Amino acid sequence: MALLFLFNQSLLEKEKRVIDAIEFLKSKGVIFKDRYHILDQLDKQEALSYYLEKIHGGKK
């Protein structure tokens, strides 16, 4: 069974709550497939939007 979670910008502005929610889900056995390593970027100093721009390569 696969579940897809989409995080909109308003959630990402409250990154601490998102990180806590993700850690809780992981503790319950939820496995995240994150091929772009976006979850790893949530607790970094750099804004997530900059990272997303980097991996997107400026393509529209």
Side-chain angles (χ1 to χ4, degrees):
M1 172 199 237
L3 294 174
L4 174 64
F5 290 96
L6 299 174
F7 295 100
N8 66 24
Q9 182 60 34
S10 64
L11 282 176
L12 295 177
E13 289 170 358
K14 299 167 183 72
E15 289 178 3
K16 175 68 173 127
R17 287 180 27 193
V18 173
I19 293 168
D20 291 345
I22 291 168
E23 292 303 319
F24 173 77
L25 292 170
K26 285 180 179 179
S27 76
K28 299 299 180 185
V30 174
I31 299 169
F32 290 86
K33 291 189 177 186
D34 181 19
R35 70 177 176 181
Y36 296 109
H37 309 286
I38 293 169
L39 297 178
D40 296 336
Q41 296 300 314
L42 289 177
D43 61 353
K44 304 279 183 188
Q45 293 289 2
E46 182 181 49
L48 184 59
S49 59
Y50 294 132
Y51 179 74
L52 294 175
E53 234 176 80
K54 282 183 201 174
I55 63 173
H56 188 258
K59 301 172 191 165
K60 298 244 177 199

